[in-house]
Amino acid sequence: MLIRPGSEFRIERRLNQFKIGFYNQAGVELDPIRRAYISGDAVTLAGANALEWRRITNTTGVSLIYQPARELHFKTGYEFQIDRSLSDFFKSLDNNRHVFQIGGYYDLNQQLTTGLEGEYAFRDYSNSNLPNSQNDNDSYTVGPALVITPSTRTVINLKVGYTSIDYSTSGGIVDLENFEGVTFSASLNNRLTDSTDHGITAIRMVDDGFGTNFAEQTSIGYNITSRFSRGLTGNLNALYTWLDTSGGVFAEEAELLVFGAGISKELSKKASLGLNYAFHNKISELVGRDFRQNVVTIIFSYDF
């Protein structure tokens, strides 16, 4: 069983043509294998130490939107992210990340919005003196964004970016690879009926690895959600991920398949309780990194 508390706080205020926002998101991660590049083998997660995987994450951010005309708006923002181990293990992954974002968007008509987005970020690992600590890095992504609304029931979001990540040699791992390439995200969300929504997503992203500089992940997924009577909601989802990491002799190519189902009950206008089940199956080219996992998640949420 996995119990994962989390919280979000958000305030937004409008001042004439400006809208200012402040938010904070916090969560606790208790399951290491949710990261596709972690396999529970002796290299990436040694023995019984996997039971000590308890991490807290927190993101604090501010955003500013300027809308000089009805069809034109600009957005800029800053986020400060922390990732810390709550146990004496895996402190080599503790880090701080600063993210600066900017974007401009134009509504060509009611069905089409175009935009251009840019992001610069740098990440510092807190314990660079450890023998297996990760390397600090800085990155940027720039590219177009597109929102298509062919009907009131269908929305398509597309983003493509050129991403560059430059890694230092500040850590203890031996990996000299940097990343340059195309990343993207695409989603199609459709309302089948007044009570049922479904959608398809496709994502290519790059994350810092574990014992390697980075992990490329390309995923395609499907989700369907239906709202029943008396505040009851059910969902089904599937996700397929291709994984390719850096690291020379430690590099890995793998595939991860996830199936999930869940149900939630609205307890009041502000509170809900949910139960989710997920099955993970990983097939890796490296010996010892295949696994199957069953996860049960209990979620309680409250909107203050």
Side-chain angles (χ1 to χ4, degrees), residues 120-173:
Y120 171 76
F122 62 92
R123 192 193 306 265
D124 295 321
Y125 284 89
S126 307
N127 300 299
S128 57
N129 58 316
L130 296 178
N132 57 344
S133 60
Q134 297 290 130
N135 291 319
D136 297 343
N137 60 80
D138 63 278
S139 64
Y140 70 85
T141 299
V142 61
L146 196 66
V147 179
I148 306 171
T149 310
S151 71
T152 57
R153 289 180 174 266
T154 303
V155 178
I156 302 171
N157 286 274
L158 302 171
K159 292 183 180 182
V160 179
Y162 173 80
T163 298
S164 176
I165 309 176
D166 184 29
Y167 290 87
S168 70
T169 56
S170 59
I173 64 172

Side-chain angles (χ1 to χ4, degrees), residues 228-290:
F228 308 110
S229 60
R230 299 181 180 180
L232 198 63
T233 301
N235 71 83
L236 296 171
N237 60 81
L239 182 71
Y240 193 86
T241 299
W242 293 267
L243 171 70
D244 188 5
T245 74
S246 64
V249 295
F250 296 106
E252 176 186 15
E253 293 184 6
E255 300 173 2
L256 178 66
L257 179 63
V258 179
F259 288 107
I263 191 167
S264 64
K265 178 69 170 69
E266 186 178 285
L267 303 178
S268 67
K269 290 184 178 180
K270 293 187 174 183
S272 64
L273 181 66
L275 178 66
N276 293 331
Y277 165 77
F279 171 74
H280 300 73
N281 184 46
K282 181 177 179 180
I283 301 174
S284 174
E285 65 171 2
L286 298 182
V287 176
R289 296 198 182 184
D290 294 354

Side-chain angles (χ1 to χ4, degrees), residues 12 30 67 77 105 119 134 171-172 174 181 184-185 204 228 238 300:
E12 292 184 340
L30 304 178
Q67 188 168 6
Y105 310 89
E119 176 182 291
Q134 297 290 130
V174 182
F184 63 81
S185 65
R204 184 173 191 253
F228 308 110
F300 174 76

